[in-house]
Amino acid sequence: MKIGAFLFVRSIGGSPWSAVAVAAVVIFFIGRISIDTSSRAPTVSSDLASQAHVSDINFDSDRGLVQIQYESALQTSIIGDMSDSRVQVLLGRALMDGENPGSRLSAARAVSEANFLGIRPDQSLIMALLQVLSTESNGGIKLQALKALNSLHRSAPVAEEVKQHLVEILLTDANSALRIEALKVLTRSELVSIEMQSVLEAARLDNNPFIRRQAANA
């Protein structure tokens, strides 16, 4: 289409209508460019991360796709898998929504059920999960957040900041389900670091027999 329009303009170059034809072609392609740009999926931006309010999350485990509905000046709904950075950013936003426990739970569950093999987790999503572990009072949401961290680290090492939160839960939390999940993440690798040995020794004294057995095996 661009080549045809160019040849047409050249063929009438000497006529008094050439300026009009050029202007028409320019206006036409400017319109096409603006239409093409508006139809593209928006990239992750500070606006999306700071202004979007997530209202609903649905995870299709068969296809590994997440559908997220949110309120924003840019868009109201997207569908994508965890390789889409927008999906991870919006899930992080939902996890940090202090007024909507249902949204936090849905986001944590979507992450925990997703396959992150070969996918690099967005740092904002990890930080949002850590905030849930630090501030959340609902044990069910915290458990899903731990399962989400387990899913995130299927193909990535556990960072020191994450380890600190997990160790604190393992050694101090009264909820045995949370302690078990924290231990699972800490012992994902067959080679447990030397720094973890003292933590595992303490876990061998846990009042939960499963935790004692797992710590001993690790």
Side-chain angles (χ1 to χ4, degrees), residues 143 146-151 153-154 156 158 162-163 166-167 169-170 176-190 192 196 199-200 203 208 210-215 218:
L143 181 60
L146 284 170
K147 291 181 177 180
L149 283 173
N150 202 351
S151 177
H153 292 92
R154 286 178 184 172
V158 181
V162 178
K163 284 182 182 179
L166 297 174
V167 168
I169 291 172
L170 175 61
S176 60
L178 298 181
R179 300 200 306 276
I180 289 172
E181 199 63 37
L183 181 61
K184 286 181 181 179
V185 184
L186 287 169
T187 58
R188 287 192 62 84
S189 173
E190 295 180 2
V192 179
M196 283 296 300
V199 174
L200 293 175
N208 184 287
F210 178 84
I211 294 177
R212 293 198 302 269
R213 183 168 62 254
Q214 291 297 105

Side-chain angles (χ1 to χ4, degrees), residues 126-169:
I126 295 177
M127 297 306 296
L129 288 167
L130 294 183
Q131 177 171 316
V132 170
L133 295 182
S134 299
T135 62
E136 183 61 57
S137 59
N138 185 301
I141 296 178
K142 289 185 70 171
L143 181 60
Q144 283 297 330
L146 284 170
K147 291 181 177 180
L149 283 173
N150 202 351
S151 177
L152 283 175
H153 292 92
R154 286 178 184 172
S155 58
V158 181
E160 287 301 319
E161 185 175 6
V162 178
K163 284 182 182 179
Q164 293 173 11
H165 284 77
L166 297 174
V167 168
E168 182 178 359
I169 291 172

Side-chain angles (χ1 to χ4, degrees), residues 66-142:
V66 184
Q67 181 180 23
I68 303 176
Q69 295 180 357
Y70 62 96
E71 298 174 8
S72 169
L74 296 177
Q75 199 172 355
T76 59
S77 179
I78 65 170
I79 298 178
D81 60 22
M82 289 298 172
S83 64
D84 189 333
S85 56
R86 298 172 303 163
V87 169
Q88 293 197 41
V89 167
L90 287 169
L91 289 173
R93 285 287 301 166
L95 286 165
M96 297 176 69
D97 186 352
E99 299 181 356
N100 192 339
S103 183
R104 297 198 301 276
L105 181 60
S106 295
R109 183 177 290 121
V111 177
S112 68
E113 295 178 359
N115 184 2
F116 274 86
L117 286 174
I119 298 176
R120 183 177 180 180
D122 190 279
Q123 187 63 26
S124 65
L125 180 56
I126 295 177
M127 297 306 296
L129 288 167
L130 294 183
Q131 177 171 316
V132 170
L133 295 182
S134 299
T135 62
E136 183 61 57
S137 59
N138 185 301
I141 296 178
K142 289 185 70 171

